[in-house]
Amino acid sequence: MTAYEVTLNKEPCDGIFACLTRDPRFVEDDDGLATIDPDGDPIYDGDGEVREENGTVIASFDDERIEEARQAAAACPVNAITVEEVDQ
């Protein structure tokens, strides 16, 4: 398995939601912008941890779905998403 962090900077997010079609852990937040919710994906059964700091959503995962997160980041037209592998 791969440990990785997904960071979503909400300031440049413009609600295009290209990320939602690449990784179902991305969902629409109450503010009309994207956020990350591991429980928003009906097939995800891991223990994702999500926190928000100063308008940035940071999610930590330890699973085999890093490629989906990378696809979501690549699809974001405003480059608001980054994905980084982290040490366990």
Side-chain angles (χ1 to χ4, degrees), residues 39-54:
D39 295 330
D41 179 0
I43 64 168
Y44 179 72
D45 62 359
D47 292 326
E49 177 185 306
V50 181
R51 66 188 188 280
E52 188 164 342
E53 298 174 4
N54 301 320

Side-chain angles (χ1 to χ4, degrees), residues 3-75:
Y4 57 100
E5 279 190 352
V6 180
T7 303
L8 168 61
N9 182 348
K10 293 189 78 161
E11 186 174 329
C13 179
D14 58 6
I16 296 289
F17 301 125
C19 55
L20 276 65
T21 63
R22 301 329 191 270
D23 185 337
R25 295 172 292 186
F26 286 87
V27 296
E28 184 175 353
D29 203 356
D30 293 338
D31 60 8
L33 302 175
T35 192
I36 304 168
D37 181 3
D39 295 330
D41 179 0
I43 64 168
Y44 179 72
D45 62 359
D47 292 326
E49 177 185 306
V50 181
R51 66 188 188 280
E52 188 164 342
E53 298 174 4
N54 301 320
T56 300
V57 180
I58 303 164
S60 301
F61 297 102
D62 183 4
D63 60 24
E64 298 298 327
R65 296 179 69 187
I66 190 171
E67 191 54 37
E68 289 177 52
R70 287 180 175 149
Q71 288 175 12

